[in-house]
Amino acid sequence: MEELNNRMDISALILAKNEEAMIEDCLKQLDFVKQIIVLDQNSSDKTIAIAKKYKAEILSSNNEDFSENRNLLLSSAKSKWVLYLDCDERINKENIEEIKKVINQNTHSAYYFPRKNIILGKWLKHGGWWPDYVPRLFIKSQLKGWHGRVHESAGVEGKSAYMKNPIIHLTARSLSLMISKSIKWAKIEAELRYEAHQSKVSILKTIKAAGLEFINRYLLKKGFMDGTIGLVESIYQGLHQVMIMVYLWELQIRANKGANNK
């Protein structure tokens, strides 16, 4: 009980799905918070068992909407502050000391952390990947909710500030993981564009989307300065745009067939 009382008044909130390879190291670093909540999205591996080992409270969700799941986590938090982390994000002693400092100062409602994105084993400093500020720490009562199915944003009352020390993001650890994430996100982005009535997909539009993304990442945002991985990632982001356009094209074709069959 004394150990729990010495912890910071923070609820750590984590989304997880089949994260047995990453969640343990994520949970190990949270021994300074009073509450850990893991929202599991139908994991078929040892994710839940590992989370229980670290005394995490478990929520379950069939929803693939990131914002809805983050809001569900928020509603279950009991502490004054909430700290969102992904299973592939890592914090260190400097982060913890900085968190303690800003909590004691209590001058802002939300804090953005710079994030080092490790892609295929390399920290990418260019191509739009750094400093990649992400909102992670909030006064619970000031966080009014998350919005957006992908690239979700937080609605906050009060002032926001930026942390100095970065967190580590162990994303894109292999090509297979990159592809699986892209499939998931590209489908959602295509659905959003379809719902927004984006114009009909064409070969020219698809090539243009991929080319502009590559130019933006590799040239304008200097991805070339990250060497081979910078080139690979810039090409891959262009291909991601192609995936979005193909999924959008499928939706448009399906809708046209349905209209013609009426």
Side-chain angles (χ1 to χ4, degrees):
M1 183 61 71
E2 183 179 353
E3 181 186 354
L4 185 60
N5 290 335
N6 290 332
R7 297 184 180 188
M8 297 184 207
D9 190 17
I10 299 173
S11 294
L13 309 179
I14 300 165
L15 293 176
K17 183 174 183 178
N18 293 329
E19 291 284 0
E20 66 178 8
M22 300 299 291
I23 193 169
E24 185 154 17
D25 284 343
C26 177
L27 297 178
K28 279 180 181 178
Q29 64 191 346
L30 296 173
D31 58 358
F32 65 96
V33 305
K34 282 190 175 180
Q35 182 186 30
I36 300 174
I37 309 175
V38 172
L39 187 147
D40 181 72
Q41 299 167 277
N42 295 318
S43 292
S44 57
D45 61 5
K46 298 177 182 177
T47 294
I48 293 179
I50 296 171
K52 288 181 177 178
K53 181 174 137 182
Y54 289 88
K55 311 300 182 184
E57 298 173 30
I58 309 297
L59 301 178
S60 298
S61 174
N62 295 320
N63 199 331
E64 293 291 328
D65 189 303
F66 289 103
S67 291
E68 290 298 322
N69 287 331
R70 290 192 188 278
N71 289 332
L72 182 57
L73 282 165
L74 179 65
S75 67
S76 299
K78 298 174 183 175
S79 300
K80 177 181 178 179
W81 292 82
V82 293
L83 174 67
Y84 284 89
L85 280 179
D86 293 339
C87 289
D88 58 2
E89 291 178 337
R90 303 290 179 263
I91 57 178
N92 56 32
K93 291 180 180 179
E94 287 76 20
N95 294 125
I96 296 171
E97 287 301 315
E98 191 173 14
I99 289 170
K100 182 178 181 179
K101 179 180 178 181
V102 300
I103 285 178
N104 289 335
Q105 291 173 341
N106 199 31
T107 56
H108 293 79
S109 301
Y111 291 89
Y112 287 72
F113 288 73
R115 191 165 63 165
K116 290 184 177 181
N117 288 290
I118 311 299
I119 296 176
L120 298 176
K122 180 182 176 68
W123 170 28
L124 293 193
K125 303 177 185 178
H126 307 90
W129 292 106
W130 173 256
D132 188 31
Y133 283 102
V134 288
R136 287 292 181 264
L137 181 66
F138 307 87
I139 297 177
K140 182 191 174 185
S141 61
Q142 300 298 97
L143 176 56
K144 301 308 176 183
W146 294 84
H147 310 280
R149 291 175 61 192
V150 66
H151 306 307
E152 64 274 17
S153 59
V156 179
E157 286 188 359
K159 297 179 180 178
S160 299
Y162 292 85
M163 300 293 242
K164 177 182 178 181
N165 294 294
I167 59 177
I168 304 297
H169 188 204
L170 302 172
T171 187
R173 300 181 299 279
S174 68
L175 182 59
S176 60
L177 284 173
M178 291 169 67
I179 292 172
S180 64
K181 285 185 177 181
S182 281
I183 289 172
K184 181 177 181 178
W185 293 339
K187 285 181 178 179
I188 295 173
E189 291 180 65
E191 289 168 1
L192 292 173
R193 294 187 188 188
Y194 178 76
E195 292 166 6
H197 306 290
Q198 182 166 317
S199 59
K200 185 177 179 181
V201 174
S202 67
I203 294 175
L204 182 60
K205 288 178 181 177
T206 302
I207 294 173
K208 182 179 179 181
L212 289 176
E213 183 69 15
F214 175 80
I215 291 170
N216 181 50
R217 295 277 185 177
Y218 194 66
L219 298 178
L220 300 182
K221 294 183 177 179
K222 301 182 179 180
F224 61 86
M225 295 185 71
D226 285 318
T228 302
I229 301 299
L231 174 61
V232 169
E233 179 58 23
S234 297
I235 293 172
Y236 187 83
Q237 291 303 317
L239 291 175
H240 179 74
Q241 293 301 312
V242 174
M243 292 174 68
I244 295 171
M245 298 296 278
V246 171
Y247 281 127
L248 177 59
W249 173 77
E250 287 183 340
L251 290 171
Q252 292 174 343
I253 292 295
R254 201 174 301 137
N256 288 336
K257 287 182 179 179
N260 293 333
N261 290 333
K262 289 184 179 180

